[in-house]
Amino acid sequence: MQHLSTIEQAIEELRRKVEAKKPPRQDKESQQRRSRAQKSFWEFQKIYFPTSLYDGGFSQPSAFHRKLLQIAQQPGLHAIAAARKMGKTTMMKQIAAWLLLTGQRQFIGTLSQSLLVSSAMMLDIATILSLETIRKDFQVEFLKLNIDRFDIRIADSDAYCASFSEQRSVRGATRLFQRPQWIYCDDLETRTSSLTEEQRTKRLNILKEAYQSLAEAGTLVWTGNNFDRRTLMNALIEQQKQNLLPLHWKVHIFPAWSNKAGSLWKHRYPARSEKEMQKLLKVADAEEWAGDFQQQPIPPEGLLFKRSGLVTYDRLPRSTRGILYCDPNLAIKRKGDSTAITALGFDARSGLYYIIDLVCRSFDDSNDLLQTVLDLYHRHSQISAVAFDGNVSQESFWTNLVRNFCQIHQIPYPRIYYKRYVVDALSKNASLLWNDQRILFPRRHLKTDDGKRYLEQLFSFRSKKENRTDDAPDSLICALEFLHEHAYIAQPRRQTIIVRDMYH
């Protein structure tokens, strides 16, 4: 027992309490309660969950909660982007128990990124079913209970619940001839989750596989928050706006406050204005309010590179001289780390720095990456030198790749300076210049995928030690250092023919 996790210990404790024990005998009152609960979920909630059970007290449900009940009983995959602190998780667990007890579903599941979280959700449902009054009224008998699943008998019918996660797939999960009919998913992505494209795709595949493994007319409900533009939830919302969601998928959006309807949960948060609602919910800042509560995330303010420091330009001064810096990364199927390429220039007349051009995307082919760098170099005559991030082994690796590229295309390649900068030590200079609005961003890139990705990474950057997606700030910081180190006063190169259009 000493090696068991907290969840496993809790499940073991509950198992010893209920497994193989017959429920108390029914009486007339039991039958009456059961009859009322079977007809209405709201009666079920009222009968078996007294106000004393609720943390912070009980509040009457709202139209939002009635909508949750409707969604939970509809076939399809339903993603629910709803404000925090609205009781959606508690209610979904109660719905799960009610569906089993009333025989509407015989085989359900819980799903999360982590198996322990999924098992904890399953444990909560089992705990509801183990409540003395429920066991008595519905004649609930636990046949099996462990970290993977529980099997129960309700009167003369058997029912099941299993926990699923990235480590334990729903694919192939059956009980006799039954596949899961209903799955509740929660904590699939949180503020501690990696928000890279690769991890977002992994989470999407978890949902796809789970939904395809359901019985016909099955239901999968995923509750979450649209707290960041890089989340899977936000990606699904954008797809829904463009009518690109898969068939039978739907996203339901519930902000904490709307000008038309007011508070999402009036009985608990009787706010009369948006500002009052923020106060009742103890919101920390505009970013938290926009994402966690309103489901309309904005880019983070930024610790080193603040949003207020963003200044754009339309035309590059002719006197600008610059360099290009790239930290080359390759990712399988373009689903790993991105590569940020920054062309940075300085205009001595104004004393301002200009991001001449940029790229921020994943590459899976070295020739594609090298071609993109070459395109940028030839596109802008202001660029006089190219630098790559690299230690001794990386320099050798990319030198061979460049040599191979030149042989394939029968063209020369600009000299590459290999640099190894300590980013955290140099970040203050770039941060000061950015926040003083002395580094200008090209307006045309505000709406490109590369530009949006670049700014998102820039604003979320805090330190290399945090191990977040930091390719864009890394590239900008190192480009600035290389520009200063190289002391560029060279005349611009003559404009050359662009090898290919990099924006295709």
Side-chain angles (χ1 to χ4, degrees), residues 74-100:
Q74 295 172 1
L77 189 152
H78 300 277
I80 298 173
R84 295 182 61 194
K85 299 184 179 181
M86 296 296 155
K88 57 184 182 292
T89 301
T90 298
M91 184 168 169
M92 292 307 302
K93 292 171 183 175
Q94 292 176 350
I95 291 173
W98 180 68
L99 292 174
L100 287 177

Side-chain angles (χ1 to χ4, degrees), residues 262-273:
S263 170
L264 186 62
W265 193 359
K266 290 182 174 63
H267 290 287
R268 193 168 188 85
Y269 305 105
R272 290 169 293 182
S273 67

Side-chain angles (χ1 to χ4, degrees), residues 66-84:
R66 289 189 285 274
K67 183 64 177 176
L68 283 185
L69 179 62
Q70 292 176 9
I71 293 169
Q73 297 178 87
Q74 295 172 1
L77 189 152
H78 300 277
I80 298 173
R84 295 182 61 194

Side-chain angles (χ1 to χ4, degrees), residues 322-380:
I323 52 84
L324 184 149
Y325 186 89
C326 172
D327 181 1
N329 293 309
L330 297 179
I332 298 174
K333 297 182 180 178
R334 299 179 183 243
K335 293 180 180 179
D337 290 340
S338 57
T339 291
I341 307 170
T342 302
L344 184 68
F346 177 70
D347 176 38
R349 293 180 180 178
S350 65
L352 298 176
Y353 297 82
Y354 290 84
I355 297 177
I356 300 170
D357 213 336
L358 61 89
V359 168
C360 189
R361 67 183 78 139
S362 292
F363 291 88
D364 60 1
D365 187 320
S366 63
N367 289 323
D368 189 18
L369 191 155
L370 290 171
Q371 183 69 65
T372 301
V373 170
L374 192 60
D375 289 346
L376 278 173
Y377 179 78
H378 285 303
R379 180 180 291 276
H380 304 285

